[in-house]
Amino acid sequence: MSERPYDVSLGNIEENLLSQNLVERTGLEIYEGEFSDRVRAAIRSCLTHAEADGLDKRSIFVLESIIKNTFFSDDLVDLKSEIKRAATDMKRSSSEMRDILLRHGYVEKADKKHIRLEAKSAFMGLDPVTLSKTPSDHRGPQNTKSQIEKTLGITKLVD
């Protein structure tokens, strides 16, 4: 019986876990590598319940190997840093957060006492975000940071 050939050359390793073809068929990413990052997070979550769910040893090995040999995208790290940095300046926080969201799939719907942003129709699963122009207290920018990370679903994507 012969073994199936496989190619282990480094030239075939992609930076993202998912192929570009699959990403394009799935939809638009809010940053490059988003879908691969979400698959990584789902695998990590699956592994925490693998034994209780009766997942077989081979599947556990394969999933652990994927986590061990892949990394979250640099764009995710950059986005989280950008949001964190925007939360440090109380006077400019709202406008900086607005700019970040506009670059990552949102459009501005209203700009009166509050800035209301909604995800473009191609970005399914993202809730609207309302930003206060004047934070009520010193915790305002940090609360906004947490709200945006939760809305974008990126809080649990990085260790």
Side-chain angles (χ1 to χ4, degrees):
M1 186 163 97
S2 66
E3 292 183 20
R4 291 188 349 191
Y6 59 95
D7 185 358
V8 293
S9 66
L10 293 176
N12 289 338
I13 296 176
E14 294 184 24
E15 186 168 320
N16 292 324
L17 183 61
L18 303 179
S19 72
Q20 188 60 35
N21 185 308
L22 179 58
V23 169
E24 289 170 1
R25 288 186 290 150
T26 303
L28 295 177
E29 296 182 298
I30 57 175
Y31 62 86
E32 188 174 340
E34 174 198 4
F35 295 163
S36 290
D37 290 343
R38 292 188 188 283
V39 168
R40 261 185 218 91
I43 291 170
R44 222 176 31 199
S45 177
C46 175
L47 284 170
T48 63
H49 307 286
E51 285 187 39
D53 291 345
L55 196 61
D56 62 275
K57 286 183 182 181
R58 177 64 180 167
S59 294
I60 291 171
F61 169 80
V62 169
L63 294 177
E64 286 174 342
S65 182
I66 290 170
I67 293 299
K68 179 181 171 189
N69 292 297
T70 61
F71 304 96
F72 285 101
S73 68
D74 290 339
D75 287 358
L76 171 62
V77 175
D78 292 346
L79 175 58
K80 288 188 71 113
S81 295
E82 205 176 352
I83 293 169
K84 182 178 181 179
R85 194 171 32 259
T88 60
D89 185 351
M90 198 160 167
K91 292 182 180 181
R92 297 181 36 95
S93 179
S94 293
S95 65
E96 288 183 21
M97 294 289 190
R98 182 185 119 260
D99 292 345
I100 291 168
L101 290 169
L102 290 175
R103 285 194 308 274
H104 291 90
Y106 278 80
V107 292
E108 197 167 338
K109 287 295 181 178
D111 187 356
K112 296 176 184 166
K113 289 184 180 180
H114 293 80
I115 302 166
R116 179 159 169 76
L117 300 135
E118 291 182 2
K120 295 176 185 175
S121 60
F123 294 91
M124 300 301 293
L126 292 175
D127 291 330
V129 175
T130 302
L131 303 172
S132 173
K133 284 189 174 182
T134 55
S136 56
D137 61 29
H138 68 282
R139 294 181 312 251
Q142 286 303 317
N143 292 342
T144 301
K145 172 189 167 290
S146 296
Q147 173 202 3
I148 289 172
E149 287 178 343
K150 184 178 178 185
T151 300
L152 295 177
I154 61 174
T155 40
K156 296 183 179 183
L157 292 186
V158 184
D159 295 325

